[in-house]
Amino acid sequence: MSSYPPSSPAPPTTLRQRLAGLRGPAVPPRPLDARALAALAANPGCGRRALLDGAGVDKTALASALGSPASFGQSQFAIVRGNSFEAKVKGDGGAELLRLVHDHLDPGAEPPGPGAPVPDLAAAGPEGRAARTALALREATSAGAWTLLDHPMLALEVAGSPAYLEPDAVVVHPDGRWTVVEIKSFPMIDGSADAAKVGAAARQAAVYVLALEKTAEKLAGAEVGHTVLLVCPKDFSNLPTASPVDIRRERSVTRRQLDRLTRVEELAAALPAGLSFDPSRTAEELAEAVAAVDASYAPECLAACELAFHCRDRARAADEVTALGRSVRGELGALTTVEAALAAATGHGPADDPTAAALHHAARLRAEALDLAAEASACPS
């Protein structure tokens, strides 16, 4: 039986107050970043992640309080190495970075000269920094000169909740085009890098491009490039090299998936009164709170969500086929549990279900093949 009281009329509260109550009174909101948004877009059917990310819940602390901590992320050594490489790429006023952008993306333009503008984007809070970035983009576009924006702040509304994003760099071309630059510490060997890491960087850059497009819509002459520049160490050195990455497909997929997300206020309105994800609560209370929000677990979550181990345990306990992967879930249709799928394979599934009939047929073919193989191995050569 739930320990939460049934829903009842309550004094009107703002969405900000409601989300603060979900986090806990003393817990500051955890900001969304591009990595989290890319993972969220990859699984738009998960209301649990949409709500927790929208409310700014610290999922790492929540997973630990639930007894299912997630052990992924960059090591301290990798972070230090990445910061050192980024500082090298942006050294000397970003001269090398601007040269790479010019050579790979805009060779027909006038080369960037020494002392290209690098506006100061400091301001109070993320809202102030986003406003300062928008002003710097406007000024740079009007000036018609190469300009480097170092760690600008971009704003993007996701499921009714604002997200503030910080790309490594944005370069403004003399013709008013804006290019996102992603600086990564993994190597680019013989001109190519690990495909999985490049794909992750492309999905992350697509989020930045979407945010930039919102700003560009308000500024005449501005255009956001759909080819981003990936800057990595060359071979096994610390010298920077670069490669253009077309992110039009990733941008389209991310835009479509983010548009599908249920708005945070709708998810929050459906929750029982008093529900909270405050890590100071007991593991039992937190497990009940998490269970009150529908999830859509898939094995891919293990590499992208802090609550993945908790959700996997619950999916396995409920015998859900989602634990076997999205492709399996899609193939099985109305057979939502492993038990139901096994029953269908033995001929005890729903009589009018074509998926159950196909599964039974496949099981018979497999059994016949195994019998033939056993007979062949038993016969002397």
Side-chain angles (χ1 to χ4, degrees), residues 329-347:
R329 174 68 185 89
E331 291 288 342
L332 291 179
L335 304 175
T336 59
T337 66
V338 175
E339 182 180 359
L342 293 175
T346 59

Side-chain angles (χ1 to χ4, degrees), residues 48-49 59 63 68-70 72 297-315:
R48 183 174 297 171
R49 173 151 197 167
K59 297 196 300 297
S68 303
F72 66 86
Y297 171 77
E300 294 85 351
C301 297
L302 294 173
C305 182
E306 296 85 345
L307 285 178
F309 291 103
H310 174 80
C311 296
R312 182 184 64 176
D313 292 343
R314 294 302 182 271

Side-chain angles (χ1 to χ4, degrees), residues 198-223:
V198 172
R203 290 188 293 273
Q204 189 172 333
V207 177
Y208 298 137
V209 167
L210 288 171
L212 272 177
E213 288 176 343
K214 294 297 182 183
T215 303
E217 289 173 357
K218 307 171 186 176
L219 182 59
E223 176 189 358

Side-chain angles (χ1 to χ4, degrees), residues 69-364:
S71 55
F72 66 86
Q74 282 188 309
S75 67
Q76 192 62 37
F77 172 76
I79 293 173
V80 171
R81 182 182 60 188
N83 291 339
S84 173
F85 178 68
E86 181 176 335
K88 179 180 180 65
V89 172
K90 294 178 178 177
D92 194 21
E96 178 64 11
L97 178 55
L98 289 172
R99 183 190 69 80
L100 290 171
V101 174
H102 172 264
D103 291 350
H104 289 275
L105 296 179
D106 203 356
E110 186 73 18
V118 184
D120 181 9
L121 303 178
E127 297 93 339
R129 289 187 59 200
R132 181 68 189 89
T133 295
L135 178 61
L137 286 168
R138 179 186 298 274
E139 293 173 346
T141 303
S142 300
W146 289 101
T147 305
L148 170 63
L149 274 65
D150 185 8
H151 283 287
M153 183 66 73
L154 309 175
L156 180 67
E157 183 177 294
V158 180
S161 181
Y164 293 96
L165 314 169
E166 189 176 1
D168 294 326
V170 171
V171 172
V172 179
H173 299 238
D175 62 359
R177 181 156 39 108
W178 303 347
T179 291
V180 171
V181 178
E182 276 289 275
I183 303 173
K184 299 297 184 183
S185 60
F186 55 80
M188 194 174 292
I189 301 173
D190 293 334
S192 62
D194 181 88
K197 293 179 179 179
V198 172
R203 290 188 293 273
Q204 189 172 333
V207 177
Y208 298 137
V209 167
L210 288 171
L212 272 177
E213 288 176 343
K214 294 297 182 183
T215 303
E217 289 173 357
K218 307 171 186 176
L219 182 59
E223 176 189 358
V224 182
H226 289 167
T227 298
V228 304
L229 193 69
L230 177 63
V231 180
C232 299
K234 183 178 180 180
D235 298 326
F236 300 101
S237 70
N238 200 37
L239 299 175
T241 188
S243 176
V245 180
D246 189 331
I247 54 93
R248 283 177 294 182
R249 184 180 68 85
E250 288 81 4
R251 178 208 167 276
S252 296
V253 171
T254 302
R255 175 74 278 170
R256 184 169 63 253
Q257 300 291 61
L258 290 179
D259 287 342
R260 288 177 54 198
L261 289 172
T262 305
R263 295 181 67 84
V264 174
E265 55 262 41
E266 296 176 20
L267 294 168
L271 298 177
L275 182 142
S276 174
F277 303 102
D278 189 339
S280 64
R281 295 201 170 193
T282 66
E284 292 75 14
E285 289 176 322
L286 290 174
E288 188 176 347
V290 169
V293 189
D294 291 336
S296 179
Y297 171 77
E300 294 85 351
C301 297
L302 294 173
C305 182
E306 296 85 345
L307 285 178
F309 291 103
H310 174 80
C311 296
R312 182 184 64 176
D313 292 343
R314 294 302 182 271
R316 287 176 173 176
D319 201 33
E320 297 175 356
V321 296
T322 52
L324 303 177
R326 290 195 181 98
S327 59
V328 176
R329 174 68 185 89
E331 291 288 342
L332 291 179
L335 304 175
T336 59
T337 66
V338 175
E339 182 180 359
L342 293 175
T346 59
H348 296 88
D352 57 347
D353 188 346
T355 302
L359 197 59
H360 185 212
H361 181 62
R364 289 203 314 269

